[in-house]
Amino acid sequence: MKSIIVGTAGHIDHGKTALVKALTGIDADRLVEEKRRGITIDLGFAHMSLPAADGGTLLIGFVDVPGHERFVRNMLAGVGGIDLVLLVIAADESIKPQTREHFDILQLLGVKRGITVLTKSDAVDTETLDVVRLEVEEFLRATFLESPKAPIVAVSSLTGAGLEDLKRAIVRAAADIEPRDSTALARLPIDRVFTMKGFGTVVTGTLISGTIQREDELEIFPSGRRVRVRGIQVHGQSAERAAAGQRTALNLAGATIEDIARGMTLATAGTFTATRRVDVHLRLLASAPRILKDRSRVHFHAHSMEAIGEVVFQRSNQLNPQGMSVAPGGEAFARIRLPEPVLLLPGDRFILRQFSPVITIGGGVVLDSTPLPGLKQVTVDALLQHAWAGRVPEMLGLRVARRWYRGLTIAQAVAETGLRASGIQRHLSEALAKEIVVDFGDVFLHSDTMGALTMLIPQTLAHFHEKNPLVPGMAKETLREQYTLSPEIFTAVLERLVQQKKLEVSGDLVRLPGRGVVMKDEEAESKKRIEEAFSTAGLRVPALHEVLAALKIDRARAQKIVTLLLRDRVLVKVADELVFHRSALEQLRAQVAARKSKSPVIDVAAFKDMTGVSRKYAIPLLEYLDRERVTKRVGDSRQIL
Ligand SMILES: Nc1nc2c(ncn2[C@@H]2O[C@H](COP(=O)(O)OP(=O)(O)OP(=O)(O)O)[C@@H](O)[C@H]2O)c(=O)[nH]1
Ligand SMILES: [Mg+2]
């Protein structure tokens, strides 16, 4: 069983709705106003099945669109998901303005297949029909609807003439239609929302990719609301699942009609993010009335959504070197800024309509719906070129490269491309084999980034050693934070650098090979002496400058050793030029604490008695104890805490 979506297109009153009814028996004009005025205002839907060319069944969902120029925006909301178009041209009127506009839209949307239907054949004589046929052939030359590749069929919905020919043509065309990818992540652009008695909220749309099953959890974009699929209908029949390429109605739990509107998208939950910026390739129709200037406001239509967007041309791309405008018939890479986030993915088509008066002026394809801020123009251009040329592995490689130190997670790659994780792996397999891209668990890092890191990290360490000659190494965490690396990538990069003997790791420290630890003999000796001088002195410490003066090494090196001892808290600075060994201060604390039970208060005289130090040392030591909250000053005495 194959499912396809057939859309109508063409000028007002040319017989689109009558044709759908003649084929399916269903009147797609469902609104009271449509019936009263005899015109289509909004999208209409119908369905039928035909025996397929291969003996199976062909399920056909019809999307009938309005021809009135005022309702082109409704036409646009429905035409996005179609596989085959019936371009309807009334034999008694031939080509009219919306024949052209709809046909432009079909080409801009990249619709690949179609049949031209000359309706109302009963209303004209054979000569007229032949003339119209010639006119139409001329109009369609060198397009996807060129005859005879795409047939032209004359019909009358009134008499039924030609309808069987048309059905045969549809079946033949359907055989060549590539089925949409039902294994991809699901996306359903919503074109209708309503409540149904006994069911609640129902949405409809053309499932453009993936499969939706009953009880699936889906996410509404852009709101992010999660809903559950209570029931599914495909072509008016209840079903367990809907697959890509089917007109789908879903009964949803978890949302009311106030939460949902045409233009929103239902998609696989927890996977995508909506965006306000899309990088695109756009084309301006040769018939566009004027040049499209940078920062023009336009009506932007994609799938069933529409918004007012701003076009900003990419500054330095080869397609429009001036970067400031595009002439009718021209093309360019551009960024579209949107007022509200929407869910769009690379490959999605869009239409641009002039801000005012509203006419179709162009369209194109989304190349990147997650442009990152602050990238160089060359990086942006390269990505757009690869995406535009359909070079998926290169495009993915650049997506990895532009994430620089942070790398690209598989989840991000899926969200950015709409590809499944397995597809990402497959497209990157060659780059991984050649180590152009390196894979750390769930994160991809580009070899350029790897190269930069393996060069820069040793430089950072060299700089560190130069500034801290007596420190054995740089703290790993400090180094990692400096490069904002994830723990996994950091560990892997360090491992690689260790293998290459570009650095050494010891405990929590990283250092250049042979650096940091080796203290020259004289320095090690001096360090020992300083420590000894203070540890043996207890609280009656010598003056620091005297200790240093007695050493063999010069003053600057001696001072560095003191800094190191202070950093490691072997020595503690209590006041300027007054340094104690840690053990002496610990003993003092114990002494003070032991005294508390006897007398909770101590004055300077008692302190001097207890410790045997002079007043010169007693005051700074007591102030130190106050700071350490061992004692608290009360008048001239201290309370022991
Ligand atoms: N004689 C004749 N009249 C037709 C035929 N098909 C449609 N009509 C008439 O043409 C008028 C318009 O037909 P519709 O099917 O509503 O036209 P449409 O293209 O759907 O119009 P919009 O949706 O408003 O763009 C109606 O009055 C139909 O009865 C046909 O094959 N022969
Ligand atoms: Mg109609």
Side-chain angles (χ1 to χ4, degrees), residues 470-481:
L470 300 174
V471 180
M474 189 170 179
K476 266 189 192 171
E477 204 47 28
T478 314
L479 184 62
R480 186 179 77 78
E481 277 166 12

Side-chain angles (χ1 to χ4, degrees), residues 8 13 15-18 29 34 38-42 64-67:
T8 60
D13 254 0
K16 297 179 291 298
T17 306
D29 280 348
E34 290 178 325
I39 62 164
T40 304
I41 294 167
D42 206 349
D64 181 41
V65 307

Side-chain angles (χ1 to χ4, degrees), residues 361-637:
I361 53 168
V365 61
V366 173
L367 300 176
D368 184 13
S369 53
T370 44
L372 302 183
L375 293 181
K376 286 193 191 135
Q377 187 67 47
V378 286
T379 312
V380 176
D381 284 346
L383 182 70
L384 296 183
Q385 302 278 4
H386 284 311
W388 172 233
R391 293 186 289 262
V392 181
E394 287 84 351
M395 179 272 287
L396 278 174
L398 282 176
R399 286 183 186 274
V400 175
R402 71 176 182 172
R403 295 277 175 166
W404 201 229
Y405 295 151
R406 288 177 197 272
L408 181 74
T409 64
I410 292 187
Q412 284 170 331
V414 169
E416 287 188 7
T417 61
L419 293 166
R420 282 193 178 272
S422 55
I424 306 260
Q425 290 283 3
R426 185 160 40 77
H427 284 295
L428 279 177
S429 59
E430 198 180 321
L432 286 164
K434 289 183 179 162
E435 291 193 8
I436 296 167
V437 169
V438 195
D439 151 2
F440 297 114
D442 277 355
V443 191
F444 297 112
L445 206 67
H446 199 269
S447 57
D448 289 353
T449 311
M450 254 335 241
L453 284 172
T454 48
M455 196 178 77
L456 291 173
I457 287 180
Q459 279 177 16
T460 302
L461 284 175
H463 188 66
F464 178 87
H465 286 309
E466 200 174 305
K467 288 196 100 176
N468 308 277
L470 300 174
V471 180
M474 189 170 179
K476 266 189 192 171
E477 204 47 28
T478 314
L479 184 62
R480 186 179 77 78
E481 277 166 12
Q482 192 162 329
Y483 287 89
T484 62
L485 291 173
S486 74
E488 296 77 30
I489 293 179
F490 181 64
T491 309
V493 172
L494 284 195
E495 263 171 30
R496 177 177 281 218
L497 284 165
V498 168
Q499 263 172 23
Q500 295 173 350
K501 303 212 185 309
K502 287 192 178 151
L503 57 78
E504 291 171 1
V505 175
S506 124
D508 284 340
L509 295 180
V510 192
R511 58 178 182 246
L512 289 182
R515 289 288 290 278
V517 268
V518 275
M519 202 180 263
K520 290 186 211 98
D521 283 353
E522 290 180 331
E523 282 170 355
E525 169 74 18
S526 303
K527 186 175 170 214
K528 216 170 106 198
R529 276 176 184 253
I530 299 171
E531 228 191 300
E532 261 171 25
F534 284 92
S535 66
T536 53
L539 291 177
R540 271 175 268 185
V541 288
L544 182 60
H545 66 267
E546 279 168 19
V547 178
L548 300 192
L551 300 172
K552 282 189 212 144
I553 56 172
D554 64 63
R555 174 122 194 138
R557 279 153 81 205
Q559 195 57 55
K560 287 225 166 92
I561 295 172
V562 172
T563 309
L564 191 64
L565 288 167
L566 287 172
R567 194 204 64 174
D568 293 345
R569 295 195 66 77
V570 173
L571 297 184
V572 179
K573 192 177 230 170
V574 165
D576 268 351
E577 280 291 304
L578 192 53
V579 171
F580 293 86
H581 196 272
R582 180 177 51 200
S583 59
L585 290 174
E586 273 162 13
Q587 227 180 331
L588 174 63
R589 277 168 181 259
Q591 236 178 335
V592 173
R595 191 190 162 88
K596 188 178 174 183
S597 53
K598 272 191 277 163
S599 139
V601 174
I602 187 165
D603 61 11
V604 177
F607 184 79
K608 280 167 63 184
D609 278 353
M610 182 181 82
T611 56
V613 299
S614 68
R615 187 177 178 85
K616 198 174 112 193
Y617 287 6
I619 301 292
L621 277 171
L622 280 167
E623 284 169 357
Y624 164 79
L625 292 174
D626 290 343
R627 284 199 302 277
E628 293 284 303
R629 296 185 199 286
V630 176
T631 55
K632 185 178 170 196
R633 184 165 181 170
V634 184
D636 279 342
S637 297

Side-chain angles (χ1 to χ4, degrees), residues 237-423:
Q237 302 284 314
S238 84
E240 276 303 306
R241 66 177 57 79
Q246 292 180 328
R247 282 295 307 169
T248 305
L250 302 178
N251 177 208
L252 299 177
T256 65
I257 53 170
E258 281 78 39
D259 304 320
I260 315 178
R262 171 179 286 182
M264 295 182 178
T265 300
L266 274 173
T268 307
T271 305
F272 300 112
T273 43
T275 175
R276 280 198 185 84
R277 304 264 182 280
V278 273
D279 282 357
V280 303
H281 177 272
L282 68 80
R283 228 181 257 294
L284 207 57
L285 288 168
S287 61
R290 59 177 79 104
I291 281 174
L292 184 66
K293 294 204 185 112
D294 197 36
R295 301 197 175 253
S296 294
R297 292 216 294 164
V298 290
H299 296 272
F300 176 90
H301 297 256
H303 304 299
S304 58
M305 65 74 63
E306 62 167 294
I308 291 170
E310 186 187 27
V311 179
V312 183
F313 290 112
Q314 300 289 349
R315 299 288 135 180
S316 57
N317 70 59
Q318 296 153 12
L319 298 176
N320 58 332
Q322 316 82 0
M324 299 309 283
S325 64
V326 170
E331 54 182 336
F333 290 123
R335 178 164 299 177
I336 312 276
R337 296 187 183 155
L338 298 166
E340 300 294 334
V342 289
L343 177 58
L344 289 168
L345 289 177
D348 287 352
R349 299 280 182 155
F350 64 88
I351 294 294
L352 297 181
R353 306 192 80 213
Q354 186 169 269
F355 188 68
S356 174
V358 186
I359 50 162
T360 302
I361 53 168
V365 61
V366 173
L367 300 176
D368 184 13
S369 53
T370 44
L372 302 183
L375 293 181
K376 286 193 191 135
Q377 187 67 47
V378 286
T379 312
V380 176
D381 284 346
L383 182 70
L384 296 183
Q385 302 278 4
H386 284 311
W388 172 233
R391 293 186 289 262
V392 181
E394 287 84 351
M395 179 272 287
L396 278 174
L398 282 176
R399 286 183 186 274
V400 175
R402 71 176 182 172
R403 295 277 175 166
W404 201 229
Y405 295 151
R406 288 177 197 272
L408 181 74
T409 64
I410 292 187
Q412 284 170 331
V414 169
E416 287 188 7
T417 61
L419 293 166
R420 282 193 178 272
S422 55

